Amino acid sequence: MAELGFNEHHQNEVINYMRFARSKRALRLKTIDSCFQDLKDSRLVEETYTADEVAEMLEGLRAVVRAEVETELINAAHTNVLLLRQLFSQAEKFYLRLQTDTSELENRELLEQVAEFEKAEFKTTNKKTNQETNKPKLAPLNEGGVSELLQKEISRLQEENDRLKARLRTIESQATSALDEKSKMEQALKDLQKVQGDQQRALGAQEISGLEDTVAALRADFQHALSASSATQKDLQENLVTAKHDLLRVQEQLSQAEKELEKKFQQTAAYRNMKEILTKKNEQIKEIRKRLRKYEPDE
């Protein structure tokens, strides 16, 4: 589409949407025509009418036409929301965040450009139309393979992020077990010291001396085991810190990749063209409102 800067696929999508909008517009115009025809057939049966009767007929006609126009405007707005929903749903599958600029929808130059394109596209009734049955869904936005590469990088970082989280949970579990073991050994030492005091009061000096030797040996063994447990705990804590740092690094890379993907997409022609289309649609809606205000200054 030379006028709007789209590729062939997107050109067909725009033409299909224009054809849909034109059919809806033609149907609504026929409805409005029928409102006037009904008034002629049902009320204009006499040759003369009073001013009050004419005012009453015009007021009734105004209410009917206003309701028809309001219904069409509401339906057009809702239809555009559904169209945006399709685009946004496909974009979210690729972690894209689309943005719209409603001020561009009132760009008179772009609206006139779309109007000229529509006239050129539909000026003859014999022009070949695109088949709407079995129409494929909108293809994901992708230019030059940039989105695909960034998506692969995001997937890789997410997998690494999951692995680091699993490793972090394992290290935390090991650290908790080591702390529990240390607490049990400290409690055992306290119990042993209590038993030693009780036996010292009950045994003689010789037995106490032998018991002290035994206790000293047990204490040495305990201190050795406690030192080994402390070293293990220190290693686990260091591994825990390292795993947390790796997790933060991967999360930062993942965030940067998502930002880069969003930045690349906002620079694509497809993104700019979609903004232009939305701008033109909004301009058309404003133009309709201006026309309505000319006929309804009291609204």
Side-chain angles (χ1 to χ4, degrees), residues 237-269:
Q237 290 176 344
E238 291 177 353
N239 290 336
L240 181 61
V241 171
T242 300
K244 288 182 177 180
H245 288 169
D246 291 340
L247 179 60
L248 291 175
R249 174 182 58 81
V250 171
Q251 290 176 343
E252 178 65 20
Q253 292 177 354
L254 182 60
S255 177
Q256 291 295 330
E258 290 178 348
K259 291 179 180 179
E260 182 67 19
L261 179 60
E262 182 176 355
K263 180 179 179 182
K264 291 291 185 181
F265 172 72
Q266 291 180 356
Q267 295 174 355
T268 61

Side-chain angles (χ1 to χ4, degrees), residues 8 147 274-275:
E8 182 179 358
S147 299
M274 185 183 67
K275 287 180 62 178

Side-chain angles (χ1 to χ4, degrees), residues 46-64:
E46 300 179 5
E47 295 182 357
T48 59
Y49 293 91
T50 65
D52 291 338
E53 290 175 337
V54 173
E56 180 187 357
M57 287 187 291
L58 291 178
E59 179 62 23
L61 180 61
R62 184 195 67 82
V64 173

Side-chain angles (χ1 to χ4, degrees), residues 65-108:
V65 173
R66 185 180 188 278
E68 290 293 337
V69 173
E70 182 180 15
T71 300
E72 177 60 19
L73 291 175
I74 293 174
N75 183 69
H78 293 174
T79 301
N80 289 333
V81 171
L82 293 179
L83 181 63
L84 289 174
R85 178 178 179 271
Q86 295 182 32
L87 296 175
F88 291 160
S89 297
Q90 294 183 40
E92 288 177 0
K93 293 180 181 180
F94 287 81
Y95 302 93
L96 300 177
R97 296 178 180 178
L98 304 184
Q99 294 179 345
T100 59
D101 185 358
T102 54
S103 63
E104 287 295 320
L105 299 180
E106 299 179 352
N107 189 314
R108 172 58 60 183

Side-chain angles (χ1 to χ4, degrees), residues 165-177:
K165 285 182 178 179
R167 179 185 174 190
L168 181 61
R169 288 193 294 267
T170 301
I171 294 175
E172 288 177 343
S173 177
Q174 293 175 351
T176 301
S177 299

